[in-house]
Amino acid sequence: MNSVVTGLGAALPKKIILNNDLPDSLNTSDEWITQRTGIKQRYVAGDGETTASLSVEASRKALAMAGVSPNDVDLIIVATVSGDYTFPATATIVQRELNAKNAVAFDVSAACSGFIYALDIADARLKLAKNKCALVIGAETFSRLLDWTDRSTCVLFGDGAGALLLQSENSSRGIQSCILHSDGTGIEYLKTNGGVSSTKNVGFVQMNGQEVFRAAIEKFNDALQELLLYHNMTINDVDLIVPHQANSRIIEKLITLSGIKREKVLITVDKHANTSAASIPLAMSELGCEIFKKNNVVLLSMGAGFTWGAALIKFNTNLE
Ligand code: ACO
């Protein structure tokens, strides 16, 4: 049995903030942000828009694409670090809103790597026949974790959600493997300065940008090489890489180090900024049904912790 992607969907808040729309008090510029990050704009959640509401909208689109009823979904995982509540899990809100009453629902917290972590858990449960039909969602309202007076962090992030529907299928296509890694010695480089148990508030994002930049390049490439070795593949066998969308300069380094052709790398950071756990499924959704015309699709992530990982998904084995 394999876990096959049969639907995908995305949701973005209504409000777009262009680099030029950022307040003068930040003392930043479109030129600085574009040169250092590739970001041109970000979507920011407004009243009534939450991690759960964006997750629900993305999930409905994924279900509609696959022609699957919420009744048939038996697993919902939301990867997020910006859930609606400290508890319960945002996934249970999604379950209620979709009326997916046959699902088990929980959240996964692994920052920007959360989506690949969630995908791995869902894939394992489908392969063990514990579930048959899973919604795997990456969703964030990161804007609510930002100090909007700190130009070194607030310009980098955005809000959004992406969802994949996975179904068990006796087929060679689907998720081939997920590789996950963590290194807690990287905690201080990227974290919030608060938390329920430490300060009784959620805190704001704090980052040592240069250390994170170095680590992201190293971990992206390590995960890619490990995945290729495991599958006895070369970079030429890869049809598409969907990297976590943090910064176009990190992605450019990945292109140089790995030797992948630029046209095989999906870049959406200009439109969405860094949406943390949502960035990979949001980027995949930009391609819509086109993604089903690719075969070997590699997902790559790196995030706070540090956490990092990779996944190989075969969408169209007819091309082999
Ligand atoms: N606008 C204008 N100037 C700024 C801004 C801004 N938004 N932010 C920082 N600066 C200034 C700094 O104050 C500093 O000024 P100074 O020299 O007078 O002190 C100068 O720019 C250089 O600051 P650095 O932090 O050294 O800038 P750097 O070239 O490292 O770029 C950046 C910062 C873009 C954050 C970079 O380190 C980076 O890309 N890091 C990767 C981190 C990342 O993408 N994180 C996302 C989350 S992690 C993840 O998802 C994997």
Side-chain angles (χ1 to χ4, degrees):
M1 279 294 178
N2 257 346
S3 316
V4 173
V5 179
T6 55
L8 66 169
L12 290 161
K14 289 184 195 69
K15 185 175 177 187
I16 300 179
I17 300 183
L18 305 177
N19 291 343
N20 281 331
D21 296 337
L22 290 161
D24 292 344
S25 56
L26 276 180
N27 196 17
T28 187
S29 65
D30 176 48
E31 191 191 0
W32 193 96
I33 299 169
T34 306
Q35 266 180 12
R36 306 283 178 123
T37 71
I39 295 165
K40 298 298 288 181
Q41 61 177 45
R42 71 283 298 139
Y43 290 80
V44 174
D47 288 349
E49 291 175 321
T50 68
T51 297
S53 74
L54 295 167
S55 299
V56 169
E57 188 183 333
S59 299
R60 287 206 169 107
K61 290 178 187 166
L63 288 166
M65 182 188 277
V68 166
S69 150
N71 270 334
D72 296 327
V73 175
D74 57 12
L75 176 65
I76 300 173
I77 309 179
V78 178
T80 189
V81 291
S82 51
D84 284 28
Y85 304 115
T86 302
F87 73 87
T90 296
T92 58
I93 307 170
V94 175
Q95 176 187 28
R96 181 188 67 188
E97 297 305 308
L98 293 176
N99 197 19
K101 47 187 179 294
N102 299 313
V104 58
F106 58 91
D107 292 354
V108 164
S109 168
C112 301
S113 296
F115 184 74
I116 293 184
Y117 275 56
L119 204 63
D120 184 52
I121 297 166
D123 179 44
R125 291 190 62 89
L126 264 60
K127 286 200 167 101
L128 289 168
K130 290 188 170 187
N131 296 106
K132 288 188 177 134
C133 181
L135 270 170
V136 183
I137 303 157
E140 304 280 11
T141 43
F142 224 80
S143 63
R144 290 173 181 153
L145 282 174
L146 297 172
D147 173 355
W148 282 95
T149 63
D150 175 10
R151 66 178 183 175
S152 70
T153 53
C154 74
V155 304
L156 302 174
F157 296 92
D159 302 336
L164 258 55
L165 190 76
L166 299 180
Q167 291 183 268
S168 292
E169 194 178 285
N170 199 354
S171 146
S172 58
R173 63 188 188 131
I175 298 176
Q176 307 298 300
S177 68
C178 299
I179 289 169
L180 308 182
H181 290 288
S182 313
D183 175 4
T185 63
I187 286 170
E188 294 305 323
Y189 297 126
L190 179 57
K191 63 179 180 49
T192 57
N193 61 356
V196 175
S197 182
S198 53
T199 60
K200 299 193 207 167
N201 59 43
V202 292
F204 293 122
V205 174
Q206 291 188 326
M207 179 175 69
N208 178 329
Q210 289 179 4
E211 289 297 337
V212 174
F213 190 85
R214 263 193 289 279
I217 291 163
E218 183 191 313
K219 305 306 187 199
F220 263 10
N221 198 47
D222 285 358
L224 174 62
Q225 298 309 327
E226 187 181 345
L227 192 78
L228 293 177
L229 192 66
Y230 181 74
H231 289 283
N232 200 17
M233 287 166 63
T234 74
I235 198 70
N236 297 327
D237 299 319
V238 175
D239 300 308
L240 179 71
I241 294 186
V242 187
H244 166 53
Q245 307 286 319
N247 185 311
S248 60
R249 286 191 303 148
I250 295 174
I251 299 174
E252 289 298 333
K253 287 275 185 194
L254 172 75
I255 293 170
T256 309
L257 284 174
S258 67
I260 185 94
K261 290 193 175 120
R262 177 178 303 272
E263 61 269 24
K264 290 184 172 182
V265 181
L266 190 56
I267 303 180
T268 60
V269 69
D270 53 329
K271 287 184 204 161
H272 301 148
N274 182 348
T275 57
S276 185
S279 90
I280 291 176
L282 252 182
M284 292 170 83
S285 299
E286 283 281 309
L287 281 185
C289 291
E290 284 296 303
I291 204 160
F292 294 99
K293 295 183 186 161
K294 313 273 180 199
N295 191 26
N296 290 317
V297 175
V298 171
L299 315 183
L300 286 178
S301 72
M302 185 311 192
F306 294 121
T307 55
W308 65 102
L312 175 66
I313 309 178
K314 284 186 185 288
F315 277 84
N316 189 342
T317 45
N318 293 332
L319 298 174
E320 287 181 347

